Amino acid sequence: MGWEFAVLDWMQANWRGPWLDVIVPFFSSLWDWGIPWFLLTAVLLWYKPTRKVGCCVLCAIGVELLVVSLGIKPLVDRLRPCDINLAADKLVPRPRSASFPSGHTAQAFAVSGALYFCRSKWFVPVAVLSALLALSRLYLYVHFPTDVAAGMWIGWLCGWAAVVLCRRRKIQKAK
């Protein structure tokens, strides 16, 4: 855990600034309930050409919620860095759930993964937003680097699993 605090403390010393201290908490809070992902899903579901992609994205969000929020987080129950280093400047209220893995990151990468595996043109902008969101969780001192890395991988796998499930369902329907 020592190297993880070194990374977080380095970010605090080298990246923190007055304008980022306003923008990053605002940006990160937008995703607290996954509302942008649900809005994106609604847009994808609304238009017939992107409806199948929207179904895969919605499925990816559901798989991620089951795996991360209801599965891994309660089992691991890891403390957050802000719970251990009480001297860290808190820019946001402490999230109520456990630290491992990062739910924000997992959900973002589940959506990114679903878009990637569906070969959607939305993948690149969503992947950029996902990476920025992952970095914001470190900047805000609410996750360790391994929380964010695990969230990325688990989210990506959830996105892949969702696309596989959606394609299998389509095959099952055809029979």
Side-chain angles (χ1 to χ4, degrees):
M1 207 180 290
W3 71 270
E4 294 193 89
F5 276 114
V7 169
L8 293 173
D9 293 339
W10 180 87
M11 288 178 74
Q12 296 293 301
N14 293 288
W15 288 13
R16 290 284 300 267
W19 65 278
L20 281 177
D21 284 357
V22 172
I23 292 171
V24 173
F26 174 76
F27 173 76
S28 188
S29 71
L30 289 174
W31 312 94
D32 284 350
W33 298 101
I35 292 170
W37 301 134
F38 287 111
L39 290 174
L40 171 63
T41 304
V43 168
L44 293 171
L45 289 170
W46 183 265
Y47 297 103
K48 192 170 185 173
T50 59
R51 198 162 289 152
K52 289 178 185 175
V53 174
C55 287
C56 288
V57 169
L58 186 60
C59 184
I61 291 169
V63 169
E64 181 276 329
L65 286 171
L66 287 171
V67 170
V68 174
S69 298
L70 299 177
I72 300 170
K73 272 184 178 278
L75 284 173
V76 176
D77 198 28
R78 183 181 194 188
L79 289 174
R80 293 179 178 274
C82 58
D83 295 333
I84 298 168
N85 181 2
L86 300 176
D89 189 19
K90 291 183 180 84
L91 296 173
V92 294
R94 183 209 178 278
R96 286 182 259 144
S97 63
S99 187
F100 184 89
S102 168
H104 281 73
T105 304
Q107 192 168 73
F109 278 83
V111 172
S112 294
L115 293 171
Y116 175 80
F117 292 110
C118 286
R119 293 171 176 54
S120 171
K121 67 180 180 180
W122 289 87
F123 166 68
V124 172
V126 169
V128 170
L129 283 173
S130 298
L132 291 172
L133 183 58
L135 284 172
S136 79
R137 305 310 285 167
L138 299 173
Y139 184 93
L140 295 172
Y141 220 87
V142 294
H143 282 292
F144 290 105
T146 51
D147 300 336
V148 170
M152 291 167 67
W153 285 105
I154 293 166
W156 194 257
L157 289 172
C158 289
W160 171 79
V163 172
V164 169
L165 287 170
C166 288
R167 287 181 181 158
R168 283 214 173 121
R169 174 105 171 106
K170 181 181 169 189
I171 291 167
Q172 294 292 330
K173 252 186 170 178
K175 289 184 178 180

